[in-house]
Short mmCIF file of all heavy atoms in Angstrom, two decimals:
data_model
loop_
_atom_site.label_atom_id
_atom_site.label_comp_id
_atom_site.label_asym_id
_atom_site.label_seq_id
_atom_site.Cartn_x
_atom_site.Cartn_y
_atom_site.Cartn_z
N THR A 213 8.35 -7.89 21.47
CA THR A 213 9.40 -6.89 21.81
C THR A 213 9.24 -5.73 20.78
O THR A 213 9.23 -5.98 19.53
CB THR A 213 10.75 -7.49 21.56
OG1 THR A 213 10.79 -8.67 22.39
CG2 THR A 213 11.88 -6.60 21.86
N PRO A 214 9.03 -4.52 21.27
CA PRO A 214 8.78 -3.40 20.33
C PRO A 214 9.99 -3.13 19.51
O PRO A 214 11.13 -3.21 19.98
CB PRO A 214 8.42 -2.32 21.38
CG PRO A 214 9.09 -2.63 22.61
CD PRO A 214 8.95 -4.13 22.68
N THR A 215 9.77 -2.78 18.31
CA THR A 215 10.77 -2.31 17.42
C THR A 215 11.05 -0.85 17.53
O THR A 215 10.08 -0.04 17.44
CB THR A 215 10.37 -2.66 15.89
OG1 THR A 215 10.15 -4.02 15.75
CG2 THR A 215 11.57 -2.28 15.01
N PRO A 216 12.25 -0.45 17.75
CA PRO A 216 12.49 1.02 17.95
C PRO A 216 11.95 1.81 16.78
O PRO A 216 12.20 1.36 15.58
CB PRO A 216 14.07 1.09 17.99
CG PRO A 216 14.50 -0.27 18.39
CD PRO A 216 13.47 -1.20 17.85
N LYS A 217 11.31 2.82 16.92
CA LYS A 217 10.72 3.62 15.90
C LYS A 217 11.74 4.60 15.27
O LYS A 217 12.61 5.13 16.10
CB LYS A 217 9.48 4.44 16.40
CG LYS A 217 8.33 3.53 16.73
CD LYS A 217 7.09 4.35 17.08
CE LYS A 217 5.90 3.51 17.39
NZ LYS A 217 4.73 4.35 17.62
N PRO A 218 11.67 4.80 13.93
CA PRO A 218 12.58 5.73 13.40
C PRO A 218 12.24 7.24 13.69
O PRO A 218 11.24 7.47 14.28
CB PRO A 218 12.46 5.46 11.90
CG PRO A 218 11.12 4.98 11.72
CD PRO A 218 10.78 4.16 13.04
N SER A 219 13.07 8.09 13.33
CA SER A 219 12.74 9.57 13.56
C SER A 219 11.57 9.83 12.67
O SER A 219 11.36 9.36 11.57
CB SER A 219 13.93 10.34 13.12
OG SER A 219 15.08 10.06 13.84
N PRO A 220 10.68 10.65 13.17
CA PRO A 220 9.39 10.99 12.43
C PRO A 220 9.76 11.69 11.14
O PRO A 220 10.67 12.45 11.00
CB PRO A 220 8.67 11.97 13.29
CG PRO A 220 9.78 12.49 14.25
CD PRO A 220 10.70 11.41 14.45
N VAL A 221 8.94 11.37 10.08
CA VAL A 221 9.11 11.88 8.76
C VAL A 221 8.56 13.34 8.78
O VAL A 221 7.44 13.52 9.11
CB VAL A 221 8.39 11.09 7.66
CG1 VAL A 221 8.61 11.68 6.37
CG2 VAL A 221 8.89 9.63 7.77
N VAL A 222 9.47 14.26 8.54
CA VAL A 222 8.98 15.68 8.44
C VAL A 222 8.36 15.97 7.10
O VAL A 222 9.10 15.97 6.08
CB VAL A 222 10.18 16.62 8.68
CG1 VAL A 222 9.73 18.09 8.63
CG2 VAL A 222 10.78 16.35 10.10
N GLN A 223 7.06 16.31 6.97
CA GLN A 223 6.40 16.53 5.78
C GLN A 223 6.38 18.05 5.51
O GLN A 223 6.32 18.83 6.54
CB GLN A 223 4.92 16.03 5.82
CG GLN A 223 4.86 14.44 5.96
CD GLN A 223 5.31 13.89 4.65
OE1 GLN A 223 5.53 14.44 3.73
NE2 GLN A 223 5.48 12.48 4.72
N PRO A 224 6.44 18.55 4.31
CA PRO A 224 6.41 19.90 3.99
C PRO A 224 5.03 20.38 4.25
O PRO A 224 4.06 19.64 4.36
CB PRO A 224 6.74 19.95 2.54
CG PRO A 224 6.45 18.62 1.98
CD PRO A 224 6.77 17.69 3.17
N PRO A 225 4.88 21.70 4.57
CA PRO A 225 3.51 22.25 4.82
C PRO A 225 2.57 22.09 3.63
O PRO A 225 2.99 22.08 2.52
CB PRO A 225 3.79 23.74 5.06
CG PRO A 225 5.05 24.01 4.38
CD PRO A 225 5.93 22.76 4.42
N ALA A 226 1.28 21.90 3.87
CA ALA A 226 0.32 21.64 2.88
C ALA A 226 0.09 22.94 2.01
O ALA A 226 0.16 24.03 2.59
CB ALA A 226 -1.11 21.29 3.53
N PRO A 227 0.01 22.74 0.74
CA PRO A 227 -0.18 23.95 -0.16
C PRO A 227 -1.39 24.68 0.12
O PRO A 227 -2.48 24.06 0.34
CB PRO A 227 -0.11 23.27 -1.48
CG PRO A 227 -0.57 21.96 -1.30
CD PRO A 227 -0.12 21.51 0.03
N LYS A 228 -1.39 25.96 0.02
CA LYS A 228 -2.65 26.71 0.26
C LYS A 228 -3.49 26.69 -1.06
O LYS A 228 -4.65 26.62 -1.04
CB LYS A 228 -2.28 28.20 0.47
CG LYS A 228 -1.47 28.44 1.77
CD LYS A 228 -1.17 29.97 1.97
CE LYS A 228 -0.44 30.16 3.27
NZ LYS A 228 -0.10 31.56 3.51
N LYS A 229 -2.83 26.76 -2.17
CA LYS A 229 -3.63 26.65 -3.44
C LYS A 229 -2.65 26.05 -4.59
O LYS A 229 -1.68 26.72 -4.80
CB LYS A 229 -4.18 27.93 -3.89
CG LYS A 229 -5.06 27.80 -5.15
CD LYS A 229 -5.64 29.11 -5.54
CE LYS A 229 -6.50 29.10 -6.81
NZ LYS A 229 -7.04 30.39 -7.16
N ALA A 230 -3.02 24.90 -5.13
CA ALA A 230 -2.17 24.30 -6.08
C ALA A 230 -2.62 24.87 -7.50
O ALA A 230 -3.78 25.19 -7.71
CB ALA A 230 -2.32 22.81 -6.07
N PRO A 231 -1.64 25.01 -8.40
CA PRO A 231 -1.97 25.44 -9.75
C PRO A 231 -2.94 24.42 -10.42
O PRO A 231 -2.94 23.29 -10.03
CB PRO A 231 -0.64 25.50 -10.47
CG PRO A 231 0.38 25.53 -9.38
CD PRO A 231 -0.21 24.87 -8.23
N ASP A 232 -3.58 24.83 -11.47
CA ASP A 232 -4.52 23.97 -12.15
C ASP A 232 -3.63 22.81 -12.78
O ASP A 232 -2.52 23.03 -13.24
CB ASP A 232 -5.17 24.69 -13.33
CG ASP A 232 -6.18 25.79 -12.82
OD1 ASP A 232 -6.59 25.60 -11.65
OD2 ASP A 232 -6.40 26.75 -13.57
N VAL A 233 -4.21 21.62 -12.80
CA VAL A 233 -3.46 20.49 -13.24
C VAL A 233 -4.13 19.93 -14.50
O VAL A 233 -5.30 20.18 -14.78
CB VAL A 233 -3.44 19.39 -12.22
CG1 VAL A 233 -2.71 19.87 -10.96
CG2 VAL A 233 -4.84 18.87 -11.80
N ALA A 234 -3.37 19.14 -15.26
CA ALA A 234 -3.92 18.61 -16.51
C ALA A 234 -4.90 17.49 -16.11
O ALA A 234 -4.88 16.99 -15.02
CB ALA A 234 -2.72 17.98 -17.30
N PRO A 235 -5.70 17.13 -17.16
CA PRO A 235 -6.71 16.03 -16.81
C PRO A 235 -5.89 14.72 -16.42
O PRO A 235 -4.91 14.38 -16.93
CB PRO A 235 -7.39 15.81 -18.16
CG PRO A 235 -7.24 17.14 -18.78
CD PRO A 235 -5.93 17.65 -18.36
N ILE A 236 -6.55 13.93 -15.50
CA ILE A 236 -5.95 12.79 -14.99
C ILE A 236 -6.01 11.70 -16.02
O ILE A 236 -7.17 11.42 -16.50
CB ILE A 236 -6.64 12.42 -13.60
CG1 ILE A 236 -6.33 13.45 -12.57
CG2 ILE A 236 -6.08 11.03 -13.22
CD1 ILE A 236 -7.11 13.33 -11.33
N ALA A 237 -5.00 10.93 -16.21
CA ALA A 237 -4.91 9.89 -17.17
C ALA A 237 -5.66 8.67 -16.54
O ALA A 237 -5.80 8.66 -15.34
CB ALA A 237 -3.44 9.53 -17.51
N PRO A 238 -5.98 7.68 -17.38
CA PRO A 238 -6.69 6.46 -16.80
C PRO A 238 -5.76 5.81 -15.75
O PRO A 238 -4.52 5.83 -15.92
CB PRO A 238 -6.76 5.55 -18.12
CG PRO A 238 -6.80 6.51 -19.22
CD PRO A 238 -5.93 7.64 -18.85
N SER A 239 -6.40 5.33 -14.76
CA SER A 239 -5.63 4.81 -13.55
C SER A 239 -5.20 3.39 -13.78
O SER A 239 -5.81 2.62 -14.61
CB SER A 239 -6.42 4.99 -12.26
OG SER A 239 -7.55 4.14 -12.43
N GLU A 240 -4.18 2.96 -12.98
CA GLU A 240 -3.80 1.57 -12.92
C GLU A 240 -4.12 1.11 -11.64
O GLU A 240 -3.90 1.65 -10.56
CB GLU A 240 -2.29 1.43 -13.18
CG GLU A 240 -1.82 1.96 -14.51
CD GLU A 240 -0.28 1.96 -14.61
OE1 GLU A 240 0.31 1.57 -13.62
OE2 GLU A 240 0.20 2.40 -15.59
N GLU A 241 -4.74 -0.21 -11.52
CA GLU A 241 -5.18 -0.66 -10.21
C GLU A 241 -4.75 -2.11 -10.08
O GLU A 241 -4.92 -2.95 -11.02
CB GLU A 241 -6.67 -0.51 -10.05
CG GLU A 241 -7.18 -0.95 -8.71
CD GLU A 241 -8.66 -0.55 -8.52
OE1 GLU A 241 -9.21 0.08 -9.38
OE2 GLU A 241 -9.14 -0.95 -7.44
N SER A 242 -4.18 -2.44 -8.91
CA SER A 242 -3.81 -3.78 -8.61
C SER A 242 -4.43 -4.23 -7.36
O SER A 242 -4.60 -3.37 -6.42
CB SER A 242 -2.29 -3.95 -8.49
OG SER A 242 -1.81 -3.21 -7.48
N THR A 243 -4.99 -5.40 -7.28
CA THR A 243 -5.71 -5.90 -6.05
C THR A 243 -4.98 -7.07 -5.38
O THR A 243 -4.66 -8.04 -6.03
CB THR A 243 -7.15 -6.33 -6.45
OG1 THR A 243 -7.67 -5.27 -7.24
CG2 THR A 243 -7.94 -6.71 -5.33
N SER A 244 -4.73 -6.90 -4.05
CA SER A 244 -4.17 -7.95 -3.31
C SER A 244 -5.08 -8.84 -2.58
O SER A 244 -4.67 -9.83 -2.04
CB SER A 244 -3.16 -7.19 -2.31
OG SER A 244 -2.29 -6.41 -2.88
N SER A 245 -6.33 -8.46 -2.51
CA SER A 245 -7.35 -9.33 -1.88
C SER A 245 -8.69 -9.19 -2.53
O SER A 245 -8.84 -8.33 -3.44
CB SER A 245 -7.45 -9.06 -0.32
OG SER A 245 -7.87 -7.73 -0.18
N THR A 246 -9.71 -10.00 -2.21
CA THR A 246 -10.98 -9.98 -2.87
C THR A 246 -11.82 -8.88 -2.53
O THR A 246 -12.10 -8.54 -1.37
CB THR A 246 -11.73 -11.32 -2.54
OG1 THR A 246 -10.85 -12.47 -2.78
CG2 THR A 246 -12.94 -11.48 -3.38
N PRO A 247 -12.39 -8.04 -3.51
CA PRO A 247 -13.23 -6.90 -3.17
C PRO A 247 -14.53 -7.48 -2.63
O PRO A 247 -15.07 -8.56 -2.99
CB PRO A 247 -13.33 -6.23 -4.53
CG PRO A 247 -12.31 -6.72 -5.42
CD PRO A 247 -11.97 -8.10 -4.89
N TRP A 248 -15.25 -6.64 -1.82
CA TRP A 248 -16.43 -7.03 -1.28
C TRP A 248 -17.55 -7.11 -2.24
O TRP A 248 -18.48 -7.85 -2.09
CB TRP A 248 -16.81 -6.03 -0.17
CG TRP A 248 -16.18 -6.25 1.08
CD1 TRP A 248 -15.05 -5.52 1.66
CD2 TRP A 248 -16.39 -7.32 2.10
NE1 TRP A 248 -14.71 -6.03 2.85
CE2 TRP A 248 -15.47 -7.13 3.13
CE3 TRP A 248 -17.30 -8.32 2.10
CZ2 TRP A 248 -15.41 -7.99 4.20
CZ3 TRP A 248 -17.23 -9.16 3.24
CH2 TRP A 248 -16.32 -9.01 4.24
N SER A 249 -17.42 -6.37 -3.40
CA SER A 249 -18.47 -6.41 -4.37
C SER A 249 -18.68 -7.80 -4.93
O SER A 249 -19.89 -8.27 -5.29
CB SER A 249 -18.15 -5.45 -5.58
OG SER A 249 -16.96 -5.82 -6.11
N ILE A 250 -17.51 -8.65 -5.09
CA ILE A 250 -17.64 -9.98 -5.63
C ILE A 250 -18.41 -10.89 -4.63
O ILE A 250 -19.27 -11.69 -4.94
CB ILE A 250 -16.23 -10.57 -5.86
CG1 ILE A 250 -15.55 -9.77 -6.95
CG2 ILE A 250 -16.28 -11.99 -6.27
CD1 ILE A 250 -14.13 -10.15 -7.17
N ILE A 251 -18.07 -10.72 -3.32
CA ILE A 251 -18.74 -11.48 -2.26
C ILE A 251 -20.25 -11.23 -2.26
O ILE A 251 -21.07 -12.15 -2.20
CB ILE A 251 -18.19 -11.18 -0.92
CG1 ILE A 251 -16.68 -11.49 -0.93
CG2 ILE A 251 -18.88 -11.86 0.27
CD1 ILE A 251 -15.99 -11.17 0.39
N VAL A 252 -20.64 -9.96 -2.43
CA VAL A 252 -22.07 -9.55 -2.49
C VAL A 252 -22.76 -10.32 -3.63
O VAL A 252 -23.84 -10.85 -3.46
CB VAL A 252 -22.20 -8.01 -2.50
CG1 VAL A 252 -23.73 -7.72 -2.72
CG2 VAL A 252 -21.74 -7.42 -1.31
N VAL A 253 -22.20 -10.25 -4.83
CA VAL A 253 -22.76 -10.80 -6.03
C VAL A 253 -22.91 -12.33 -5.73
O VAL A 253 -23.92 -12.90 -6.13
CB VAL A 253 -21.87 -10.57 -7.26
CG1 VAL A 253 -22.32 -11.34 -8.40
CG2 VAL A 253 -21.89 -9.06 -7.58
N LEU A 254 -21.89 -13.03 -5.23
CA LEU A 254 -21.94 -14.48 -4.97
C LEU A 254 -23.02 -14.82 -4.00
O LEU A 254 -23.74 -15.80 -4.22
CB LEU A 254 -20.53 -14.91 -4.53
CG LEU A 254 -19.56 -14.95 -5.62
CD1 LEU A 254 -18.15 -15.42 -5.00
CD2 LEU A 254 -19.87 -15.97 -6.76
N ILE A 255 -23.18 -14.03 -2.92
CA ILE A 255 -24.26 -14.27 -1.95
C ILE A 255 -25.59 -14.13 -2.62
O ILE A 255 -26.49 -14.97 -2.44
CB ILE A 255 -24.09 -13.35 -0.76
CG1 ILE A 255 -22.78 -13.70 0.01
CG2 ILE A 255 -25.28 -13.47 0.14
CD1 ILE A 255 -22.53 -12.71 1.15
N ALA A 256 -25.82 -13.08 -3.44
CA ALA A 256 -27.01 -12.93 -4.13
C ALA A 256 -27.37 -14.10 -5.07
O ALA A 256 -28.48 -14.60 -5.09
CB ALA A 256 -27.02 -11.56 -4.92
N ALA A 257 -26.30 -14.57 -5.74
CA ALA A 257 -26.52 -15.69 -6.72
C ALA A 257 -26.85 -16.93 -5.91
O ALA A 257 -27.79 -17.65 -6.32
CB ALA A 257 -25.20 -15.92 -7.49
N ALA A 258 -26.22 -17.06 -4.72
CA ALA A 258 -26.55 -18.34 -3.94
C ALA A 258 -27.95 -18.32 -3.43
O ALA A 258 -28.62 -19.29 -3.41
CB ALA A 258 -25.52 -18.49 -2.89
N THR A 259 -28.36 -17.11 -3.05
CA THR A 259 -29.74 -16.99 -2.53
C THR A 259 -30.81 -17.29 -3.60
O THR A 259 -31.78 -17.91 -3.40
CB THR A 259 -29.97 -15.57 -2.03
OG1 THR A 259 -28.99 -15.28 -1.00
CG2 THR A 259 -31.34 -15.33 -1.37
N GLY A 260 -30.55 -16.77 -4.82
CA GLY A 260 -31.38 -17.03 -5.93
C GLY A 260 -31.51 -18.48 -6.27
O GLY A 260 -32.64 -19.09 -6.53
N LEU A 261 -30.39 -19.24 -6.26
CA LEU A 261 -30.40 -20.63 -6.58
C LEU A 261 -31.10 -21.46 -5.55
O LEU A 261 -31.81 -22.40 -5.82
CB LEU A 261 -28.89 -21.09 -6.74
CG LEU A 261 -28.21 -20.71 -8.02
CD1 LEU A 261 -26.72 -21.06 -7.98
CD2 LEU A 261 -28.92 -21.22 -9.32
#
Side-chain angles (χ1 to χ4, degrees):
T213 303
T215 303
K217 291 187 177 181
S219 303
V221 179
V222 179
Q223 296 289 351
K228 296 180 179 179
K229 181 179 180 182
D232 295 334
V233 299
I236 296 175
S239 63
E240 302 174 359
E241 186 168 354
S242 62
T243 304
S244 302
S245 61
T246 306
W248 279 105
S249 58
I250 297 177
I251 296 175
V252 172
V253 171
L254 288 176
I255 292 175
T259 303
L261 288 174

